Amino acid sequence: MKLSEHSINALRTIISGDDPLTQYKSGPNLVEFFNSFGARDVYKWKDGGLPNNASRNQYVIDKLTEFNGTKALSSLLLTFADERFYSEVENPNIELAVGKINGIIKHDNYKLDNSSGTYVIVGEELPDEIEIEVHFEEIQQQILDALDQAKYTIWVTVAWFTNKLLFDKLIERKNQGINVQVIVLNDEINQKYGFNYEEHFETKRFQKMGMYENIMHNKFCIIDLKTVIHGSYNWTNKANYNKETISIETSRELAEKYATEFMKLKNKNWVQQWL
């Protein structure tokens, strides 16, 4: 079983238990969990905890990457279809958890399937459906409608984000279990008129770059690693009164390209090379 790096990143909170659908795992619990599938790690209580002093989520990504392409990854994912692994979850919804995993791994042509009465991982030929919508009017509402369609992830990269309706919608979706991440420009506009994004979402404030203070000027949103919203529209109140354009495109291939750029922007070391 071989997953893309985007799928691995999207799975991390499900594996760690930071997703409310699955059981929370502390650092020692994560080491024990991955060791049960062949890892040989030790949790060092007095010396950094997890290997390489990694955070819980980074450790999960590291181990999933290590297991990628092996049977261990398949066995690991199948545990989330086993009720025995939900002993500490109040009113577990295993079908919903499996559905969330399937929404991620389907982009790699895999599925947790129980048509035979027992869950197994099967591969499927899933054609990439391409759909394009271009909008010049009521752009804010078009974005709100698209966000309502999200089932698993919403990744937003916009230079300026001061639109409270869109901000509140992201909070609403995050509270419904959607993985929401935000990258914005770290400047006076967002500081004065924006919001405390960090209080609600995993957030990156992108610093101005170089001696000329070049800025991150992207405006795109990736939904479920299959839909991309992009165009001239910043997520600001002022943009509602401008002549703006957005395109809403459904394409796994396109979404993965934008997701790769999102991860580059999010990566701290990549940003530092410009400073």
Side-chain angles (χ1 to χ4, degrees), residues 138-148 154 156 158 160-174 180 182 195 197 200-201 220-221 223 229 233-240 246:
E138 298 184 352
I139 291 177
Q140 175 182 268
Q141 188 59 51
Q142 297 295 337
I143 295 175
L144 289 170
D145 291 345
L147 296 177
D148 276 331
I154 300 173
V156 179
V158 289
W160 297 286
F161 189 177
T162 63
N163 185 312
K164 192 172 188 305
L165 280 177
L166 294 176
F167 181 70
D168 288 344
K169 176 59 69 174
L170 290 185
I171 294 176
E172 175 188 322
R173 299 316 323 272
K174 185 254 187 181
V180 178
V182 174
F195 311 99
Y197 318 103
H200 303 281
F201 322 118
F220 64 83
C221 172
I223 298 175
I229 305 171
Y233 184 89
N234 266 302
W235 290 25
T236 64
N237 296 317
K238 183 178 180 181
N240 289 324
I246 63 164

Side-chain angles (χ1 to χ4, degrees), residues 14-16 25 29-41 59-60 63-64 66-82 84-85 121:
I14 297 174
I15 307 300
S16 69
K25 299 178 185 67
N29 293 151
L30 285 172
V31 169
E32 181 180 4
F33 177 73
F34 284 107
N35 282 353
S36 70
F37 298 101
R40 294 292 183 267
D41 291 332
Y59 177 67
V60 169
K63 300 314 291 184
L64 291 179
E66 179 182 323
F67 286 176
N68 203 16
T70 71
K71 291 183 179 180
L73 182 59
S74 302
S75 299
L76 183 155
L77 290 179
L78 284 170
T79 64
F80 292 92
D82 188 334
R84 294 172 297 177
F85 288 84
I121 293 181

Side-chain angles (χ1 to χ4, degrees), residues 17-135:
D18 288 345
D19 189 298
L21 288 173
T22 56
Q23 186 165 310
Y24 177 85
K25 299 178 185 67
S26 65
N29 293 151
L30 285 172
V31 169
E32 181 180 4
F33 177 73
F34 284 107
N35 282 353
S36 70
F37 298 101
R40 294 292 183 267
D41 291 332
V42 176
Y43 188 86
K44 299 180 180 179
W45 292 92
K46 296 182 179 180
D47 187 22
L50 291 168
N52 301 316
N53 296 321
S55 65
R56 290 171 54 258
N57 280 329
Q58 186 58 53
Y59 177 67
V60 169
I61 291 174
D62 290 345
K63 300 314 291 184
L64 291 179
T65 301
E66 179 182 323
F67 286 176
N68 203 16
T70 71
K71 291 183 179 180
L73 182 59
S74 302
S75 299
L76 183 155
L77 290 179
L78 284 170
T79 64
F80 292 92
D82 188 334
E83 62 184 10
R84 294 172 297 177
F85 288 84
Y86 291 82
S87 60
E88 296 181 16
V89 178
E90 186 176 355
N91 301 318
N93 191 328
I94 298 176
E95 288 186 4
L96 191 58
V98 169
K100 196 165 189 176
I101 292 172
N102 279 340
I104 296 169
I105 66 175
K106 73 177 183 180
H107 299 293
D108 301 292
N109 296 339
Y110 296 103
K111 179 183 179 182
L112 290 171
D113 181 83
N114 70 338
S115 58
S116 64
T118 302
Y119 274 103
V120 295
I121 293 181
V122 298
E124 295 184 336
E125 293 296 327
L126 300 176
D128 187 16
E129 299 179 2
I130 300 176
E131 185 176 320
I132 301 174
E133 300 176 11
V134 179
H135 300 280

Side-chain angles (χ1 to χ4, degrees), residues 206 209 216 261 263-275:
F206 199 95
M209 302 176 295
M216 185 278 295
E261 180 63 17
M263 296 304 295
K264 286 181 180 179
L265 293 171
K266 183 181 172 183
N267 186 294
K268 183 177 181 179
N269 291 330
W270 188 88
V271 173
Q272 285 179 334
Q273 72 176 325
W274 295 91
L275 299 180

